[in-house]
Amino acid sequence: MMEQKFASIPTVFTGADVFITGGSGFLGKVLIEKLLRSCPQIARVFVLMRAKRGKSLEDRLKTITDGVLFDVLKSEHPDALNKIHPIEGDCTQLKLGMSAASMERMNDVQFVFHAAASVRFDDPLKDAILTNTRSTREVLDWAKTLRKLRAVVHISTTYCNPELLRVEEKIYPPKMDWREAIRLAEAFDTPVLEMLKDKLTQFAPNTYTYTKGLAEQICYEYRNDIPLVVFRPSIVTNTESEPLAGWVDNFNGPIGLLLGCASGVVRVGLLDLEKRINCIPVDVSIKAIIAAAWKRAITAEAGTLPVYNSAAEPKKTITYGTMLYDGKVLFDRVPLSNMLWAPGGTTTSNKYLFYLIFFCCQLLPALIVDGILRIGGKAPFLLKLNRKIFDAQVSLRYFMNNEWMFETENFKQLEYTLTDDDRKNFSTDYFVLGMMEYYECAIRGGRRYLLKEPDENIDMALKKYKRLRVLNYLLRGVLAFSIAYCMYSKYLL
């Protein structure tokens, strides 16, 4: 346990200016809210944001802070939102697209959190390099000019070296020189780089993890120039407790799979049921990110580069089979009111069998339902939705059919490094009530915050769920009888 001579986290952030990229993303929103709520004397929080046609930066910021995620903050610290200052910029541009006036305004920034990234697995290589790799160089180059800088946290991913099934808390050798990667992205257009992608990336499973790995190489080279931290979350999922349980704003990760199954739309999965999935709640990762920045600021160790794998230890992970089985149990308690059919289906790790089952059990029903909708004068949607589901499952195939072991000693030590006072608000303990309870909370959160279904309609959803289960059994019985009758008529009569 750290001696009390070290200042607490809120004390270290008192009067400090903070700069955040990716503030409109999943991690970024939770980071902004947590800093303002648990470090109430923080000075200014600068958030890099792109201007969008017809929407000012202030309007975009208001859209974020009007969300339920910020309700607790607004009730406890009504004036805290005034500390957020949007900065016009773009991570895909040189100097982050920031004006000289903006950079001058942020001369006193002490903490930098680089959370911006494109997490799409199918991004063209050129776009991924500019967004995930070059932006890191631009952030660090700018950070070098900050005279009061105390810590920079680069948010990476535990999967940035996906070919390694055991990942330590260290920087691994580069697959390519990051300078050359940036030069190629700047010099060649998208079609040319797509032709060379497999050779350049050494057949990496996707451009996201590859370019995040390159970004870590930049951090390694800048380690002597600025106080840096590399923070690697695993699969980031719903909040566990702060500021409200179950909050989520995207369908990425297991919650998307669970909700897809609960809706009756997903009938087949391209995955290995025996492989384990590693998830970490977003609020736990954010508390650890802030603690890592605090620790870097109070321990002046020039030239070091702490790496944190923010991942669940093996005993707190589950297999895909367990997750789906438990999901079925949870659906009995918390079904969706807008389900199209009773949950059910199968899984396979064979991609050709997956293609066949997907065509029979998802595409054909989607064609029929969309045809009925067209006849009824309504807009079809199921075929388009299934196309997205298919693309997502294919792009995730490598990750859902492999299993990783992450060393997390540095991450676990953060908990013991905290002062007694900080442990109340920044503890990195997770799945405190149990994993089954957490996933039930996650499904409820998906209902509330993604599908906009209030808890008050759960009883109605249960009645619909029971009706659809009866219909599902009847349909399966009719199909089985029809097949048996046809075989009997053809071969036995």
Side-chain angles (χ1 to χ4, degrees), residues 95-265:
K95 296 185 178 180
L96 304 178
M98 298 189 298
S99 67
S102 292
M103 287 189 277
E104 178 70 23
R105 184 183 176 196
M106 295 188 292
N107 270 343
D108 292 333
V109 163
Q110 296 183 34
F111 293 91
V112 175
F113 297 91
H114 180 37
S118 171
V119 298
R120 290 187 294 270
F121 282 11
D122 57 353
D123 261 352
L125 181 59
K126 178 184 178 76
D127 296 346
I129 290 174
L130 295 180
T131 304
N132 297 336
T133 306
R134 192 178 72 173
S135 69
T136 302
R137 183 196 68 184
E138 297 303 298
V139 167
L140 299 186
D141 277 342
W142 172 70
K144 286 167 65 175
T145 69
L146 300 174
R147 60 182 183 271
K148 295 184 178 180
L149 183 67
R150 302 188 69 183
V152 177
V153 180
H154 170 73
I155 299 174
S156 185
T157 170
T158 52
Y159 299 97
C160 62
N161 295 281
E163 71 282 358
L164 302 175
L165 298 184
R166 187 179 189 87
V167 180
E168 299 177 44
E169 292 176 305
K170 69 178 185 180
I171 304 297
Y172 286 90
K175 303 179 185 70
M176 179 183 183
D177 182 77
W178 61 267
R179 293 179 181 83
E180 181 65 9
I182 293 174
R183 187 190 69 80
L184 291 173
E186 292 174 338
F188 295 100
D189 58 17
T190 296
V192 172
L193 280 186
E194 288 304 287
M195 290 174 56
L196 301 172
K197 179 173 72 175
D198 287 340
K199 182 176 181 180
L200 292 174
T201 65
Q202 301 176 31
F203 295 90
N206 58 70
T207 57
Y208 166 65
T209 55
Y210 177 74
T211 52
K212 293 296 281 185
L214 292 178
E216 286 197 0
Q217 298 302 319
I218 301 176
C219 293
Y220 184 75
E221 291 201 18
Y222 279 67
R223 71 190 186 282
N224 292 312
D225 301 321
I226 49 181
L228 258 168
V229 169
V230 171
F231 192 91
R232 298 173 178 156
S234 59
I235 301 172
V236 184
T237 52
N238 309 54
T239 57
E240 181 171 5
S241 60
E242 291 188 43
L244 63 167
W247 181 84
V248 67
D249 73 346
N250 64 81
F251 288 92
N252 299 333
I255 189 61
L257 177 61
L258 287 171
L259 291 179
C261 294
S263 68
V265 175

Side-chain angles (χ1 to χ4, degrees), residues 372-428:
I372 294 173
L373 289 173
R374 284 193 178 92
I375 292 172
K378 297 182 179 179
F381 71 95
L382 205 51
L383 190 61
K384 182 178 179 180
L385 176 60
N386 273 281
R387 189 179 299 119
K388 292 181 178 179
I389 293 171
F390 178 84
D391 291 342
Q393 294 219 45
V394 170
S395 67
L396 289 169
R397 180 190 173 211
Y398 181 84
F399 298 91
M400 299 176 78
N401 286 274
N402 284 291
E403 182 180 319
W404 285 262
M405 175 70 72
F406 302 114
E407 298 289 341
T408 59
E409 189 58 32
N410 292 345
F411 174 62
K412 288 188 289 188
Q413 283 301 316
L414 280 175
E415 174 72 17
Y416 304 109
T417 302
L418 298 175
T419 64
D420 291 337
D421 288 339
D422 284 339
R423 198 166 286 116
K424 299 173 185 175
N425 292 317
F426 295 94
S427 172
T428 55

